[in-house]
Amino acid sequence: MTADDLSIQWLGRVDYQQALALQERLVAQRRAGAIGDHLLLLEHDPVYTIGRTPDQASLRGATHLPHPVVQISRGGQATYHGPGQLVGYPILDLRRHGQDLHRHLRALEELLIRVCDAFGVAAHRREGLTGAWVADRKIASIGVGVRHWISMHGFALNVRDDLAPFHEITPCGITGVTMTSLEKESGGPISVQDAAAAVSRLFPECLPGLAT
């Protein structure tokens, strides 16, 4: 497989349920071999999501939240999506990329670290914690789902400096975590479209089995 077989689309601002329905369609088409791999890049209307877990303590009861809550088929605890955050949904046949979920997660982390570096922000992994971090501050979250080795859901990179909605939950279930953003760490304005362009450029370099 080569980079020419990968379709990367910038969708702009999309309602969460509409984006979820689009993912469902693309996953079915990818499984049937009707399409190649896809990467969807977008912003969401404000929403909280939580993965498949009976423990929903990270929502802190949910009744106080200023935006809707959606339970979805990824792993992990609660997070927030909204304007100013770049969301990426890779729809990939992982059988062509190592057939290894942990390898997929590490590839997404590597992508996010390189994107941060492109804006002068030194991000890194933290032992035992998925995502990308700047010192002890979380700049990007990852939560994926896999059906018959077709991936869905993905990553969320905080670009703009509006992080207040995270204060209403326990992000990713990590008590005391501080969320940060590319703008906050770089000290300058960065658009979500600029971050999306960096992801589009770097994604093929980080995806196992995809030659550039």
Side-chain angles (χ1 to χ4, degrees), residues 39 41 86-90 108 111-112 141-143 153-157 199:
L39 173 62
L41 299 173
L86 175 63
V87 175
Y89 294 135
L108 294 181
L111 168 69
L112 293 164
S141 302
I142 297 173
H153 303 299
F155 62 85
L157 173 64
V199 168

Side-chain angles (χ1 to χ4, degrees), residues 1-210:
M1 171 171 259
T2 69
D4 291 337
D5 299 308
L6 173 68
S7 174
I8 300 178
Q9 298 174 267
W10 166 249
L11 302 181
R13 185 163 164 176
V14 182
D15 172 77
Y16 189 86
Q17 296 287 9
Q18 290 179 339
L20 183 59
L22 175 58
Q23 286 189 79
E24 299 275 3
R25 290 196 301 272
L26 292 176
V27 166
Q29 292 171 346
R30 186 69 187 101
R31 185 185 176 197
I35 61 172
D37 287 335
H38 276 62
L39 173 62
L40 306 179
L41 299 173
L42 56 132
E43 291 178 273
H44 278 309
D45 296 332
V47 66
Y48 294 97
T49 68
I50 190 165
R52 305 178 304 264
T53 174
D55 175 13
Q56 304 214 345
S58 57
L59 290 172
R60 301 182 190 171
T63 55
H64 69 289
L65 295 177
H67 306 300
V69 177
V70 180
Q71 186 167 22
I72 55 174
S73 61
R74 63 163 171 81
Q77 286 286 337
T79 194
Y80 166 76
H81 298 306
Q85 182 188 74
L86 175 63
V87 175
Y89 294 135
I91 311 297
L92 310 176
D93 186 343
L94 295 183
R95 293 170 298 184
R96 307 180 70 138
H97 304 291
Q99 199 163 340
D100 185 328
L101 180 56
H102 292 288
R103 189 180 182 189
H104 178 53
L105 292 170
R106 302 294 83 76
L108 294 181
E109 287 173 342
E110 180 64 22
L111 168 69
L112 293 164
I113 289 168
R114 293 191 192 187
V115 169
C116 289
D117 183 67
F119 293 96
V121 175
H124 59 87
R125 296 180 176 88
R126 286 184 69 182
E127 185 68 29
L129 296 173
T130 302
W133 303 76
V134 180
D136 60 351
R137 302 176 295 280
K138 193 168 192 180
I139 197 167
S141 302
I142 297 173
V144 302
V146 176
R147 295 182 185 173
H148 305 281
W149 288 109
I150 308 299
S151 70
M152 62 184 299
H153 303 299
F155 62 85
L157 173 64
N158 302 325
V159 179
R160 305 297 300 276
D161 199 17
D162 181 12
L163 302 171
F166 283 107
H167 300 162
E168 305 295 332
I169 60 173
T170 304
C172 304
I174 305 172
T175 302
V177 68
T178 298
M179 304 299 290
T180 191
S181 68
L182 279 176
E183 281 195 341
K184 190 176 185 69
E185 298 296 335
S186 70
I190 300 172
S191 73
V192 175
Q193 290 91 332
D194 286 342
V199 168
S200 298
R201 183 177 74 255
L202 294 167
F203 186 77
E205 298 177 8
C206 301
L207 185 64
L210 187 61

